[in-house]
Amino acid sequence: MDAGFDQLKLGIANEDRWVSTVEYEGFIVDHFSEMVGKCFSEGGMKFTDLTRVCFLNGPGSTMSIRTICSFVRTLKLLQQVGENAIHVANHLHFYQIYQTHVECRCLPFCIVAKAGFHQYLCLHVNDKHKLDVIRKVDKNLDDDGKTSLIKLSHPSLPKEECVHYHLSQCLPLLYLRDPCIWQATSSPDLYQGSA
């Protein structure tokens, strides 16, 4: 599950194929339940069929990500998913893996996400096999002509400036067992960026 600023991506996978996927663009909070219902209905699944739940927890739309967190916590509270079934990754590391493994982007590159009024989270990617440290910076990083720049969605940015990923291409990334990207959690919450 992923809730960007204006797009919701939901998918149910069974090993090497998607059973169902739903993508919705618009005000996510008002349509979240409807889209979850649609995804499960199209896949002919029940919540208790889930063996693993993966979601991206930000940076991004606080309200939308909190909606996902509340949904996952409810599944756990109602014992619809197992204690160790919930896995979370932040958007920056997910995009790093997507860009290196799916898009095969040339290194080095830099991923930037708006994190506050004048603050940005920045991730320099220099090694395909290593998840880099996310740093907080106080200014927007402009393209220096040497390092390609990837901007994650934000309401203040034109859509054509931001990168997106496609569910159809990212299925193998869900099965990466690297604990650096997918971390098990018993209390799903927003990504708390650290310097």
Side-chain angles (χ1 to χ4, degrees):
M1 295 185 289
D2 179 17
F5 282 97
D6 58 359
Q7 194 168 58
L8 174 69
K9 295 175 192 264
L10 302 171
I12 300 174
N14 185 3
E15 294 301 328
D16 61 348
R17 69 180 183 89
W18 287 109
V19 175
S20 67
T21 59
V22 172
E23 295 192 28
Y24 174 79
E25 192 165 327
F27 194 58
I28 292 166
V29 175
D30 287 346
H31 299 278
F32 182 78
S33 296
E34 176 189 342
M35 293 300 107
V36 168
K38 181 178 178 183
C39 192
F40 276 85
S41 174
E42 287 180 0
M45 308 285 284
K46 301 179 299 230
F47 295 142
T48 52
D49 294 328
L50 298 175
T51 57
R52 190 169 184 230
V53 176
C54 296
F55 74 97
L56 301 180
N57 69 340
S61 168
T62 300
M63 182 81 85
S64 298
I65 295 168
R66 283 201 190 282
T67 301
I68 285 182
C69 292
S70 296
F71 172 70
V72 174
R73 285 181 181 205
T74 302
L75 288 178
K76 182 184 166 209
L77 182 68
L78 297 176
Q79 299 180 342
Q80 301 291 298
V81 296
E83 181 69 29
N84 300 315
I86 303 166
H87 293 78
V88 64
N90 67 67
H91 277 88
L92 286 99
H93 281 153
F94 182 83
Y95 271 87
Q96 173 181 348
I97 297 294
Y98 184 82
Q99 292 294 323
T100 54
H101 288 69
V102 177
E103 295 289 333
C104 299
R105 183 179 292 270
C106 293
L107 299 174
F109 60 89
C110 182
I111 304 173
V112 177
K114 196 163 175 53
F117 190 62
H118 285 296
Q119 287 193 322
Y120 295 81
L121 295 176
C122 175
L123 179 65
H124 283 280
V125 182
N126 298 302
D127 185 343
K128 179 177 180 175
H129 304 289
K130 177 186 169 198
L131 290 177
D132 288 277
V133 176
I134 297 169
R135 294 182 175 86
K136 196 172 279 188
V137 295
D138 291 327
K139 61 178 182 173
N140 194 359
L141 298 180
D142 294 318
D143 192 349
D144 61 5
K146 301 173 189 171
T147 306
S148 61
L149 192 63
I150 293 173
K151 293 182 181 177
L152 300 192
S153 296
H154 190 273
S156 67
L157 297 175
K159 287 190 176 195
E160 57 270 13
E161 285 188 13
C162 302
V163 296
H164 301 279
Y165 70 90
H166 303 284
L167 281 176
S168 60
Q169 297 174 301
C170 73
L171 186 58
L173 305 185
L174 297 181
Y175 294 101
L176 284 177
R177 296 298 179 183
D178 187 338
C180 292
I181 180 169
W182 293 114
Q183 297 185 8
T185 180
S186 59
S187 56
D189 206 349
L190 290 168
Y191 170 72
Q192 304 296 324
S194 55

